[in-house]
Amino acid sequence: MEFAYIPSPSRGVLHLGPIPLRGYAFCIIIGVFVAVWLGNKRWVARGGRPGTVADIAVWAVPFGLVGGRLYHVITDYQLYFSEGQDWVDAFKIWEGGLGIWGAIAFGAVGAWIGCRSRGIPLPAWADALAPGIALAQAIGRWGNWFNQELYGRETDLPWALHITSVTDGREPGYYHPTFLYESLWCIGVAFLVIWADRRFKLGHGRAFALYVAAYCVGRFWIEYMRVDEAHHFLGLRLNGWTSIVVFVLAVVYIVLSARSRPGREEVVEPGDPDDANDAKDANDTAEDGAAVDLDKKSEDDTEAADEAEGKAEAEPEDKVEEKDGAGSAKKS
């Protein structure tokens, strides 16, 4: 008996002549643009300059992609380095496989480099970008739909995902669409961070830490539903344990940061170097003008003194002449 379900795309790549257009790559790219767009709006609202978020993203995005791929390859090394596997596939990022934990960690390193070069505090930049990152993840998860990967257990729910591919050991059937669950969860996380940031004026990295903590909660229960191959430890998938550890660290950071540095940064970006140079030039011009005025005043004072001195020297002669004139008048 047929029931409602979410269909899977027949293929995840289209060819424009010799150029492959991959759905997974498009989702990642669109997600990055959304994150930068929203991050820029929030950065400007906090007192930063337009374009700064994009400039730093030039560092963060490549680092994040490399970190995400490394985390995936290391934690799922059997997919690439076990017997019968081709290690070259480890570089085929377009086929899927980005670990969010590695992407965030390495992306933070790239962002730190970009922020340091601009004299910007990394926590403030991360706070502005946090909701955008969550939305980027929500969009990026649809790349898994194009690749028919990362689904959950079998189900007969109306929103079941219909898997049709048989490659890499897949079995056609109807499964929980964990990609959709995580996508919706990330959208909720984005709105949560935006609301909390407005309500509590989060600063010094606490908005970003809230995003991390909230994401970990959703990732933990979604990870529990997945059936793809993964390493287990004490009955839990490795990513489940990672979610627990990162959640605790994020909460601890929020608490300690709120105590040591309450409130939000007053200045998130230093003045424009060009503006500073203009101000310096204006100041130098004013100083030069003042110096000219002082020189002119000094010259005027000197001339006035000389004139006064000349009058003083001429005054006795005038008096002598007056005296002589008076004496002559008396004798007459």
Side-chain angles (χ1 to χ4, degrees):
M1 179 179 177
E2 289 289 338
F3 52 87
Y5 61 86
I6 299 174
S8 291
S10 58
R11 54 181 176 174
V13 57
L14 297 175
H15 287 85
L16 184 62
I19 303 175
L21 305 176
R22 303 181 183 278
Y24 185 87
F26 270 110
C27 290
I28 298 297
I29 293 172
I30 294 172
V32 170
F33 274 104
V34 170
V36 172
W37 169 77
L38 180 58
N40 181 71
K41 291 179 66 67
R42 287 172 50 80
W43 182 254
V44 172
R46 285 173 176 251
R49 294 193 301 275
T52 297
V53 169
D55 292 343
I56 298 175
V58 171
W59 287 94
V61 172
F63 272 76
L65 291 175
V66 172
R69 188 61 175 178
L70 280 176
Y71 181 89
H72 168 73
V73 171
I74 292 173
T75 55
D76 291 313
Y77 63 87
Q78 73 283 354
L79 300 177
Y80 307 100
F81 302 105
S82 60
E83 186 178 354
Q85 302 294 334
D86 187 358
W87 62 271
V88 177
D89 292 341
F91 297 95
K92 297 179 180 179
I93 191 172
W94 56 86
E95 293 184 353
L98 288 174
I100 185 60
W101 315 113
I104 293 297
F106 274 65
V109 174
W112 176 79
I113 295 174
C115 287
R116 185 175 178 83
S117 66
R118 299 288 293 267
I120 294 171
L122 175 60
W125 185 84
D127 282 342
L129 204 66
I133 296 177
L135 291 179
Q137 288 180 254
I139 297 171
R141 273 306 176 198
W142 283 86
N144 302 130
W145 176 67
F146 280 102
N147 287 350
Q148 295 198 38
E149 60 186 358
L150 304 186
Y151 45 86
R153 297 187 293 271
E154 287 190 290
T155 182
D156 58 358
L157 291 171
W159 55 84
L161 175 65
H162 187 199
I163 296 297
T164 58
S165 175
V166 295
T167 59
D168 297 331
R170 296 184 181 91
E171 296 183 5
Y174 301 90
Y175 301 88
H176 277 284
T178 52
F179 84 91
L180 177 61
Y181 298 161
E182 186 167 339
S183 179
L184 295 175
W185 182 267
C186 287
I187 293 174
V189 170
F191 281 105
L192 170 65
V193 174
I194 292 173
W195 170 81
D197 193 26
R198 291 177 178 175
R199 175 67 176 80
F200 302 105
K201 303 296 181 183
L202 301 177
H204 302 285
R206 288 190 289 276
F208 182 81
L210 175 61
Y211 143 71
V212 172
Y215 171 75
C216 287
V217 173
R219 182 61 184 266
F220 179 81
W221 69 265
I222 292 171
E223 195 71 25
Y224 181 75
M225 300 179 65
R226 285 169 52 173
V227 295
D228 54 300
E229 185 177 357
H231 296 287
H232 287 72
F233 180 71
L234 296 179
L236 284 179
R237 293 164 64 98
L238 178 60
N239 283 329
W241 283 110
T242 304
S243 298
I244 294 174
V245 173
V246 175
F247 171 81
V248 172
L249 293 176
V251 172
V252 169
Y253 178 85
I254 292 174
V255 174
L256 296 181
S257 175
R259 292 179 178 176
S260 61
R261 293 180 296 179
R264 181 184 288 175
E265 299 91 342
E266 294 183 0
V267 178
V268 297
E269 187 167 6
D272 192 337
D274 293 337
D275 293 342
N277 292 333
D278 292 343
K280 183 177 182 299
D281 293 341
N283 185 54
D284 292 341
T285 301
E287 291 180 354
D288 293 341
V292 171
D293 291 341
L294 289 175
D295 291 340
K296 184 176 180 181
K297 182 178 180 182
S298 178
E299 292 176 358
D300 293 343
D301 291 344
T302 301
E303 292 177 358
D306 292 340
E307 184 179 354
E309 183 178 353
K311 289 181 178 179
E313 291 176 351
E315 183 177 358
E317 296 179 357
D318 295 341
K319 289 183 177 181
V320 171
E321 292 177 355
E322 291 177 359
K323 184 176 180 181
D324 292 343
S328 299
K330 187 176 180 180
K331 289 180 180 180
S332 316

